[in-house]
Amino acid sequence: YALYTSFPDLKAFERRLTEYIACLQPATGRWRMILIVVSVCTATGAWNWLIDPETQKVSFFTSLWNHPFFTISCITLIGLFFAGIHKRVVAPSIIAARCRTVLAEYNMSCDDTGKLILKPRPHVQ
């Protein structure tokens, strides 16, 4: 507390960091839900594609044509990964990790919500 009253910039930085991470949370939740839904659809479609006895008897592309649900969900999942969904679902933790790296230089850290953690000063002998 005493450090915050002495350094209002530190408190402002913490406030802005927590605000930014909190602002990312709704979008992150939506991206996670989209990834879960598309992954479950792809897994369900893959299961139906694999247990179909016709899959072994026809060519690969014909079997994909016979299972449009799997084909579309698989293409969607691949497209989402190319669009960077794997980064979007963990964006707040990426920001927090980068801040921890920078704050380590100043003997500080932060939690996943952006709250600053002040570490004790190292004793020089």
Side-chain angles (χ1 to χ4, degrees):
Y1 175 75
L3 186 63
Y4 288 142
T5 56
S6 301
F7 299 101
D9 290 345
L10 196 58
K11 186 63 176 172
F13 173 75
E14 180 185 58
R15 205 174 317 119
R16 181 66 180 121
L17 183 60
T18 56
E19 175 186 313
Y20 185 72
I21 289 176
C23 181
L24 288 175
Q25 293 297 344
T28 299
R30 285 191 293 273
W31 284 114
R32 285 179 182 160
M33 192 57 62
I34 289 169
L35 182 60
I36 289 169
V37 168
V38 173
S39 296
V40 167
C41 289
T42 303
T44 304
W47 177 256
N48 289 332
W49 181 60
L50 290 172
I51 64 170
D52 184 11
E54 290 295 313
T55 299
Q56 298 175 3
K57 298 175 185 172
V58 295
S59 71
F60 176 72
F61 291 109
T62 305
S63 69
L64 289 178
W65 185 258
N66 291 340
H67 295 275
F69 180 73
F70 169 67
T71 306
I72 291 169
S73 60
C74 191
I75 290 170
T76 303
L77 185 63
I78 291 168
L80 285 172
F81 274 100
F82 277 124
I85 194 168
H86 57 290
K87 293 178 186 171
R88 292 178 182 169
V89 297
V90 293
S93 55
I94 290 172
I95 298 295
R98 289 179 180 170
C99 284
R100 280 186 206 105
T101 303
V102 172
L103 289 170
E105 295 288 323
Y106 302 99
N107 219 25
M108 293 188 289
S109 186
C110 67
D111 62 7
D112 288 335
T113 63
K115 295 284 185 190
L116 291 179
I117 301 166
L118 305 175
K119 297 178 181 179
R121 288 185 177 186
H123 296 291
V124 179
Q125 296 178 0

